[in-house]
Amino acid sequence: MAREYQMDKIRNIGIMAHIDAGKTTTTERILYYTGLTHRMGEVDDGAATMDWRVQEQERGITITSAAISCVWRDCQINLIDTPGHVDFTVEVERCLRVLDGAVAVFDAVAGVEPQSETVWRHADTHGIPRIAYLNKMDRIGADFYRSLAMICDRLHVKAVPVQIPIGSEDGFRGMIDLVRDKAIYYKDNLGEIIEESETPEELREQKRLYREHLLETLSEVDDRLMEKYLSGEPITEEEIIAAIRKGTVTRQIVPVLCGSSKRNKGVQLLLDAVVDYLPSPLDMPAVTVTNPDSGEIMISAADDEAPLLAMVFKIQTDPYGKLSFIRIYSGSLEAGKTVYNATKMCRERIGRLVKMHANCRKDISAAYAGEIPAIIGLKESATGDTLCGEDHPLLMKQMEFSEPVISSAIEPKTKEDQDRLGIALHRLAEEDPTFRIRVDAETGQTLISGMGELHLEIIIDRLQREFNVNAVIGQPQVAYKETITRSAKAEGKFVKQSGGHGQYGHVVLELEPLATGEGYKFVDKTTGGSIPKEYMSAIDAGIREAMQKGLVSGSPMMDIQATVTDGSYHDVDSSEIAFKLAASMAFHNAASKARPVILEPVMKIEVVVPQEYMGDAIGDFNSRRGKIEETEQQNGLQIIRGLAPLELMFGYATTLRSITQGRGNHTMQFSHYDQAPAHIVEELTRPGSKIA
C-alpha cells in the first residue's frame, strides 16, 4: 500500500491543558469541521466522541488519551486529546514524548492554571513546539490580555498574538487576524457562516500596535523579514506565515489565538494555525538512538527507506486483548510481519495494524515514518519499548514516570472475584505505568498505588465494569519513602558450602544520597577484574530488590547512588544469585550507617475562594502544615498557592466547601518528597504500625 500523505503533509499534535479548559470540546469541533463527524459531541451530555469510556461520559472529564486522524487543507492531522486532571498526567507525558507539536488550551477567564504549568513543563522537556489557544472568550470574566500576560510571566515564553478578540464575554463576536489584517465575524450558531471585513474603528489603534509587535518579533526570527521591516518594504502574508512557522518550530515564539469552542468560534482558524505553524515530522530533529549490541550512538532521521525505528508509547487493555499505540520514526511496518523489541530483546509478530478513531479501529496494511498507528498482537511489548528490525537493532531512551503517592489495600468480594482480580490488576498495570501492585509480605494484603484518590477510584470502577471483578478498597494511605542523608561504605559476603558446588559472592559498596527526585543510580568503579562484568547486572538487581524495603519503616527507598568499589569472586563457586545476595547484604549494611530517614509526599496546592472566606481558608490551610508561597487577587476571588503534605489533605475538598459555603475550590498535584516530621516517624515506626 502506498503512503497516503507525504511527511510534509502530516501533523502529529496533542491537545493539552488544565482540567475544564475545553480540550475535548475543542477536539470535538475539530472533528466536526474536518468532516469526520456530522454532529458536534458535547462533553456535558456525555456524547463526546473522544471521551468514549463510561467513566469519562459520566464524570464529564477525560481520563485516558484518545487518538484520531482527520484532514484539513490536504494535511493529515493525527490528533491526541489528553486528560487535564493531575491524577492522569502520565497520559500527557507519554503522548508528548512521541508528538511533534501541541495546542495548549487555556481558559480565558482563569488564564494559566496549575496543570497548565505542569503539562507545559512536560512539553519543554521533550522540546515540543506549541501554539496557545485562549478558549471560552464568551464567558463572564474572560480577559484575553490578562491571560496573555500570564502565559508570558508564568510560562516564561515569548507569547505573540496572531489574533486579537473583537469583544469579550457576551459581546465576543469574532477576532482580528493580524496576519491577514482582516476582521473575522461568525454569523451563525454553527460557526460555518464567516464574514471578513475591515477592522472596526474602535479597534484600529489596538490592531496597529499588536500587528507592529508581531512584525517586530518576527524580524528577530527571520533575517530577510528584518531587512524588509527596517527598510519599510511591504511584507507579504506568505512571508509572515513562514516567519511564524520558523519561530514556532524553533521554539523562539508561541503564537496565541483566541476563540470559543463551545460557541463554535475560532476553531477553523486554529486548524489553519496547526497546518501553517506546527511542524511536520521532517521539521523535527533526528532521533538519537543506541545500538544495543555495540553501545554505539546513532542518529535516525525520518525516512521511509531507513531501518525501522518505532516506540510503543501507550498500551490499552480490555478483557479481550491488548492494543499497542506506536510512533514510527523511520522505516515502515506491514501487518503480519515480525519486528524486534530491542528493549525486551525478543521478536514480536504484528497481528493487525489499525488506525484509531477514538475507540473505533480501521484496519490498514502498512504504516510509514511519521505516522501513529496501533498494533494488535504484541505480547511482550510495554510502554516505552523500542521496536526495530532484527538486522538493524536500535534502542531509544526509555520513558520515565512519576512515582505513585497514594496506596490502598484491595480485597475481592468472592472466591470467583479472587481468581480474576490478579489478572485484571496486572492488565491495568500494564496499561498505566503509574499504577503499581504489590503484596504485603507480613499481612498478605494486595496493595494498589496510584497518583491520587480519583486515580484509584477509576481503577476500581474499571475492574467492575470492564473485567467483571467486584472488589472492596480500603482507606487511602500515603505512599511514604525512605532515603539516606550521608555517604557510607560497607561490604557484603555470601558464602555457602554444602558439598559439591558452593556459592560465593563478595561486594564492597558505597552509598551516597542524591538530590530529591533523582531516583537510583548504579555505578561500577571496580578495577583489575575484582568482580567479572557479567555479575554487575546481578549486583544491580540485588540492590534494587533491597531498596524495596527500607530500614526505618519498611517503605521503598529512593534518591540513592550505589557504587561498587571492590569485591572478589571464586572461579567455580561464584554465581549471579550469590552476587545478588551479597549486594543486598552490602546495601543493608551501608544504608544502616548512612542515617536513613522517612520521606513524605508534598503536594502543590492552589485554592480559589471568595474574598470574605480568605481568613478561614488560610487558617485551615496552615492547620494542615501548609506553607503559603503566594496569594493573588483575580476577578474578586483570592488565590492561595502553597505546599502541604499529602497526609493532611485527604478530605480537603469537603472541608473547603464547608467553610466557603460551596463557593471555594482547589487543585492539587504532586510536588516532591520531603523529610517527614518526628511525629510521623514515631507513628510509622511504632510496633504494629502499617503503612502504604
Side-chain angles (χ1 to χ4, degrees):
M1 184 179 102
R3 174 190 274 280
E4 189 174 1
Y5 289 90
Q6 295 305 310
M7 258 189 285
D8 65 333
K9 294 291 187 181
I10 291 177
R11 303 289 183 270
N12 295 315
I13 67 164
I15 308 289
M16 63 182 202
H18 185 91
I19 190 169
D20 204 32
K23 297 177 305 303
T24 302
T25 300
T26 301
T27 305
E28 292 296 324
R29 298 310 188 260
I30 288 173
L31 302 186
Y32 177 80
Y33 290 122
T34 56
L36 212 55
T37 59
H38 301 289
R39 177 180 173 274
M40 295 182 185
E42 297 292 352
V43 175
D44 296 342
D45 300 336
T49 304
M50 303 300 274
D51 285 350
W52 55 271
R53 288 194 187 277
V54 177
Q55 296 89 345
E56 294 176 314
Q57 293 169 354
E58 289 179 348
R59 297 164 192 265
I61 62 170
T62 303
I63 291 169
T64 183
S65 54
I68 206 160
S69 293
C70 55
V71 178
W72 186 256
R73 285 174 40 195
D74 296 325
C75 280
Q76 183 182 60
I77 300 174
N78 299 317
L79 184 151
I80 298 181
D81 178 31
T82 63
H85 196 285
V86 65
D87 284 13
F88 309 105
T89 304
V90 62
E91 292 284 344
V92 187
E93 289 184 58
R94 59 183 173 186
C95 292
L96 287 175
R97 171 68 187 267
V98 300
L99 292 172
D100 300 325
V103 176
V105 181
F106 298 90
D107 183 333
V109 179
V112 178
E113 299 173 273
Q115 186 68 356
S116 309
E117 296 183 63
T118 301
V119 296
W120 196 273
R121 285 196 302 272
H122 291 320
D124 280 339
T125 301
H126 299 298
I128 303 296
R130 279 142 280 175
I131 57 180
Y133 175 62
L134 291 178
N135 190 26
K136 302 190 178 184
M137 282 299 304
D138 61 309
R139 282 187 58 204
I140 295 173
D143 190 329
F144 176 86
Y145 302 101
R146 181 179 59 80
S147 298
L148 176 65
M150 289 176 75
I151 292 172
C152 295
D153 295 342
R154 291 197 189 172
L155 304 179
H156 310 292
V157 295
K158 189 176 284 187
V160 185
V162 293
Q163 300 170 355
I164 59 173
I166 301 173
S168 63
E169 301 181 348
D170 288 345
F172 178 64
R173 295 172 290 152
M175 59 282 296
I176 297 170
D177 185 337
L178 299 176
V179 176
R180 295 190 298 145
D181 199 7
K182 292 286 184 185
I184 296 168
Y185 297 94
Y186 290 83
K187 294 296 187 178
D188 69 328
N189 292 333
L190 288 177
E192 293 179 330
I193 302 175
I194 301 172
E195 179 185 283
E196 293 186 2
S197 64
E198 296 301 314
T199 303
E201 182 68 36
E202 67 273 15
L203 290 175
R204 285 182 183 174
E205 179 60 19
Q206 197 169 25
K207 183 264 300 188
R208 185 189 66 78
L209 291 173
Y210 275 95
R211 194 165 196 272
E212 281 295 313
H213 173 62
L214 173 64
L215 295 175
E216 187 177 316
T217 305
L218 295 178
S219 69
E220 298 172 9
V221 171
D222 188 291
D223 291 340
R224 171 68 184 135
L225 196 140
M226 177 181 278
E227 290 176 16
K228 296 187 76 171
Y229 177 71
L230 293 176
S231 62
E233 293 180 49
I235 299 172
T236 66
E237 180 184 320
E238 290 73 21
E239 288 172 322
I240 295 174
I241 290 173
I244 295 173
R245 180 182 182 80
K246 181 180 179 181
T248 306
V249 171
T250 56
R251 296 195 298 134
Q252 296 178 66
I253 64 168
V254 175
V256 181
L257 297 88
C258 63
S260 170
S261 299
K262 180 84 172 172
R263 302 289 172 235
N264 310 314
K265 293 177 171 66
V267 178
Q268 297 99 320
L269 294 178
L270 177 62
L271 280 164
D272 285 339
V274 167
V275 171
D276 288 336
Y277 307 143
L278 289 180
S280 73
L282 293 173
D283 296 314
M284 298 302 287
V287 180
T288 302
V289 292
T290 307
N291 185 317
D293 297 334
S294 64
E296 180 187 359
I297 305 297
M298 306 167 71
I299 299 295
S300 181
D303 184 353
D304 292 345
E305 304 303 320
L308 173 66
L309 177 67
M311 172 174 272
V312 180
F313 70 92
K314 175 179 166 68
I315 301 291
Q316 186 173 302
T317 64
D318 56 40
Y320 308 103
K322 183 169 78 169
L323 188 68
S324 305
F325 289 78
I326 66 166
R327 162 68 191 265
I328 305 175
Y329 289 93
S330 65
S332 60
L333 277 175
E334 289 183 44
K337 298 285 186 178
T338 300
V339 295
Y340 182 66
N341 184 321
T343 309
K344 298 284 196 309
M345 294 186 291
C346 65
R347 292 180 179 180
E348 289 269 48
R349 187 177 180 277
I350 301 172
R352 289 164 57 199
L353 265 176
V354 295
K355 184 179 287 188
M356 296 303 297
H357 179 100
N359 62 328
C360 300
R361 307 167 183 180
K362 177 186 174 185
D363 281 280
I364 55 176
S365 59
Y368 301 90
E371 297 184 342
I372 302 181
I375 300 175
I376 298 172
L378 299 184
K379 291 182 168 56
E380 302 297 327
S381 299
T383 301
D385 285 2
T386 305
L387 303 181
C388 57
E390 195 168 6
D391 52 344
H392 287 93
L394 301 169
L395 186 62
M396 298 180 70
K397 184 183 177 184
Q398 271 279 36
M399 292 184 180
E400 296 178 0
F401 300 107
S402 304
E403 287 293 313
V405 296
I406 187 173
S407 297
S408 289
I410 185 171
E411 294 181 358
K413 285 187 176 180
T414 66
K415 178 68 169 64
E416 290 76 16
D417 290 324
Q418 185 173 2
D419 296 338
R420 295 192 296 264
L421 179 62
I423 296 171
L425 285 177
H426 279 92
R427 284 195 175 178
L428 291 172
E430 186 178 34
E431 178 179 310
D432 184 351
T434 59
F435 174 62
R436 310 283 171 82
I437 314 156
R438 68 183 177 93
V439 177
D440 189 299
E442 295 179 19
T443 65
Q445 277 187 314
T446 299
L447 300 175
I448 58 174
S449 304
M451 301 306 294
E453 292 177 86
L454 180 61
H455 189 189
L456 296 187
E457 190 181 318
I458 295 296
I459 292 291
I460 298 301
D461 195 25
R462 290 189 61 194
L463 282 173
Q464 184 172 349
R465 298 197 197 213
E466 296 177 29
F467 296 90
N468 197 27
V469 176
N470 291 305
V472 179
I473 189 169
Q475 287 295 315
Q477 302 291 323
V478 176
Y480 293 98
K481 304 285 186 186
E482 291 186 27
T483 192
I484 57 175
T485 55
R486 70 178 184 184
S487 300
K489 193 172 185 178
E491 66 176 344
K493 185 178 285 189
F494 181 77
V495 182
K496 187 175 181 182
Q497 291 295 139
S498 56
H501 266 311
Q503 295 285 356
Y504 183 92
H506 175 215
V507 176
V508 178
L509 195 65
E510 184 176 355
L511 302 183
E512 300 171 66
L514 292 175
T516 301
E518 288 196 28
Y520 161 71
K521 291 182 180 177
F522 177 74
V523 181
D524 173 16
K525 282 192 177 178
T526 56
T527 56
S530 56
I531 301 176
K533 297 298 181 186
E534 60 261 32
Y535 294 126
M536 284 301 160
S537 60
I539 293 172
D540 184 20
I543 295 169
R544 289 179 183 272
E545 193 172 296
M547 287 178 65
Q548 292 307 304
K549 194 170 182 66
L551 280 68
V552 183
S553 64
S555 304
M557 302 190 76
M558 62 185 287
D559 299 335
I560 295 174
Q561 177 172 301
T563 305
V564 184
T565 58
D566 203 0
S568 59
Y569 73 103
H570 189 279
D571 288 334
V572 177
D573 292 347
S574 285
S575 65
E576 288 195 356
I577 188 65
F579 271 103
K580 183 178 179 181
L581 292 169
S584 180
M585 293 163 63
F587 180 85
H588 278 111
N589 293 338
S592 63
K593 301 176 185 178
R595 289 184 185 163
V597 294
I598 297 175
L599 302 174
E600 64 175 355
V602 176
M603 312 303 286
K604 184 179 180 181
I605 318 289
E606 181 172 291
V607 184
V608 182
V609 296
Q611 174 69 43
E612 59 265 36
Y613 301 109
M614 178 77 161
D616 291 338
I618 288 178
D620 181 74
F621 189 72
N622 288 336
S623 73
R624 298 170 186 269
R625 290 198 280 127
K627 296 179 181 176
I628 296 175
E629 294 184 314
E630 65 173 338
T631 61
E632 179 186 338
Q633 188 168 358
Q634 191 181 107
N635 294 331
L637 298 172
Q638 286 290 339
I639 300 174
I640 305 164
R641 299 187 183 91
L643 301 170
L646 176 61
E647 177 225 358
L648 294 174
M649 293 306 294
F650 292 123
Y652 181 63
T654 303
T655 303
L656 185 64
R657 281 196 295 268
S658 175
I659 63 178
T660 62
Q661 298 184 12
R663 296 170 64 194
N665 62 75
H666 81 291
T667 56
M668 178 170 68
Q669 61 188 25
F670 173 71
S671 175
H672 63 280
Y673 272 92
D674 202 359
Q675 192 166 331
H679 75 274
I680 296 291
V681 175
E682 183 181 345
E683 181 182 332
L684 296 180
T685 54
R686 193 170 53 238
S689 170
K690 290 297 167 199
I691 63 169

